Amino acid sequence: MSNGEKVAEFEAALCDYSGAKYCVAASNGTVTLQAALVALGAGPGWRVAVPPLTMSATTLAVLNIGAEPTFWDVDPKTWLMAPVPEDITAFMPVSLYGLHSPWTGEYTVDDAAQTLRQHSGCAFTSLSFQASKVLSLGEGGALLTDEEELAAKARSYLSLGYRMDASQARIDPATLKSPTFERHHRYPAINGRMNDITATLGLSKLAYVDELKQDRALCAAHYRFEVEGCEWLTPQHIPRGWTQDWWTFAVLCDTPERATLLADAVVRHGGERPFPAWRLTYQEPFWQRLEYVEHKCPVAESLQPRLVQFQTNNVASAEKNAKALRLAIAEMS
């Protein structure tokens, strides 16, 4: 059943965990981004700032609701989206690699797919529960907000346009089956609801999610120890007071060639092959055909071919990979 009793329980548990007043669970973490933008009133004529140094789903969500993505460069140390000029309508920063984005504002949607963070200071926080994420449910997503009207609009959009209250995770079956029930009030809308099976799994995992986050921090600590003092490797900068959930442990090599050689050496010394950063979104073939995509991001273009990521979802694997990383650094230094 979509949006059944377990979904309501899961949403309540996520509110307790995140501090948000409202939670809207969904089928994945891409439709949540679309729903957030629709709830804010975004559509044709809106410009939404997005970073290019991330998975393309962030930008696809903007295109899918008819708005125009504006690619904005990233900070050279944190690798998160840099400040944007005031003529941009809305903002969709990404909490990249698990580092919590500091962006706030009434037209800000935090793409927090790579974290399981508290909700604070922005219109929406969008979470993902895809298989690689901090709270891994195979698939799923959720929106967090403190605004009742925004939650109701997002829920309606994800529920085929049905008139839904902010905290109404399901419609009573008797009401839904009534011939006089007026179903569709918001167009266009999609079916992006979460199901009870996913929500049940979410409830069980949320009970020990702090342990999962601690394990990821431990994995990151193993890698950080090995890169300490290496002159040609730079970890992601974490400013004082910021929070990192360690979706991956990412390091920046001094050259693209060194990044490839490092990955090869890690494998040669018995580790899992680290993976590169996503190709910049506007460099993918589809976006090359969009006439209005003119903005180039030199910092992101410099970073992307030099970034290497190590997995943090298993402590034993991280220990093995960290040992291989140590040997690789010694070989290459």
Side-chain angles (χ1 to χ4, degrees):
M1 179 188 295
S2 294
N3 285 51
E5 295 179 0
K6 289 300 180 182
V7 173
E9 290 182 34
F10 183 49
E11 289 179 347
L14 280 173
C15 283
D16 289 341
Y17 184 84
S18 68
K21 292 182 179 179
Y22 302 98
C23 175
V24 181
S27 58
N28 60 67
T30 302
V31 295
T32 53
L33 298 174
Q34 291 178 209
L37 290 171
V38 169
L40 289 173
W46 279 54
R47 296 175 66 204
V48 182
V50 294
L53 186 61
T54 189
M55 199 268 190
S56 60
T58 307
T59 308
L60 282 171
V62 179
L63 288 176
N64 288 344
I65 56 96
E68 178 181 325
T70 297
F71 293 108
W72 204 253
D73 215 344
V74 298
D75 179 86
K77 293 184 177 180
T78 66
W79 314 334
L80 305 188
M81 192 168 74
V84 177
E86 295 181 356
D87 62 338
I88 304 296
T89 317
F91 315 96
M92 194 176 286
V94 174
S95 293
L96 191 69
Y97 306 140
L99 182 60
H100 293 196
S101 167
W103 277 77
T104 59
E106 62 178 329
Y107 289 103
T108 296
V109 178
D110 179 15
D111 183 352
Q114 298 174 7
T115 76
L116 191 65
R117 64 173 299 172
Q118 302 296 106
H119 172 72
S120 177
C122 56
F124 283 104
T125 299
S126 176
L127 303 176
S128 172
F129 310 127
Q130 181 266 348
S132 70
K133 299 305 190 293
V134 176
L135 185 64
S136 170
L137 308 181
E139 196 52 272
L143 282 175
L144 307 173
T145 184
D146 288 334
E147 300 298 325
E148 181 177 6
E149 182 178 0
L150 291 181
K153 288 180 177 179
R155 192 181 296 281
S156 177
Y157 176 77
L158 292 167
S159 302
L160 298 168
Y162 294 171
R163 190 188 300 278
M164 304 283 283
D165 295 333
S167 299
Q168 184 182 0
R170 65 192 298 266
I171 298 177
D172 177 70
T175 301
L176 191 61
K177 294 175 182 178
S178 170
T180 61
F181 177 64
E182 295 180 345
R183 291 169 174 78
H184 305 289
H185 292 265
R186 186 174 299 279
Y187 298 94
I190 64 173
N191 181 5
R193 298 169 291 181
M194 182 176 280
N195 62 75
D196 267 353
I197 296 174
T198 301
T200 300
L201 178 59
L203 282 166
S204 67
K205 283 199 166 186
L206 195 59
Y208 61 93
V209 71
D210 287 339
E211 297 176 24
L212 297 176
K213 293 172 77 169
Q214 289 168 7
D215 284 348
R216 285 183 177 262
L218 178 59
C219 291
H222 286 302
Y223 297 123
R224 181 175 287 275
F225 179 80
E226 301 303 342
V227 302
E228 190 78 28
C230 181
E231 295 181 353
W232 47 272
L233 282 179
T234 306
Q236 185 178 29
H237 176 60
I238 305 173
R240 184 181 298 275
W242 289 30
T243 302
Q244 168 62 281
D245 284 346
W246 302 113
W247 181 62
T248 61
F249 180 83
V251 290
L252 181 69
C253 296
D254 58 351
T255 66
E257 293 76 18
R258 185 106 68 173
T260 300
L261 291 173
L262 177 64
D264 292 341
V266 168
V267 173
R268 190 161 54 250
H269 289 288
E272 298 174 77
R273 187 176 189 85
F275 46 102
W278 293 100
R279 183 196 305 269
L280 298 187
T281 303
Y282 62 69
Q283 293 177 339
E284 294 285 357
F286 172 75
W287 276 274
Q288 292 289 308
R289 298 197 298 269
L290 299 181
E291 295 180 359
Y292 60 80
V293 178
E294 299 177 351
H295 197 96
K296 299 303 179 184
C297 304
V299 175
E301 290 179 7
S302 172
L303 293 173
Q304 187 272 332
R306 296 188 288 138
L307 284 168
V308 178
Q309 301 175 66
F310 292 86
Q311 295 185 9
T312 56
N313 57 356
N314 184 282
V315 175
S317 294
E319 291 174 346
K320 176 182 176 181
N321 294 335
K323 178 181 178 181
L325 174 60
R326 179 174 71 251
L327 295 173
I329 292 173
E331 174 189 316
M332 297 172 60
S333 296

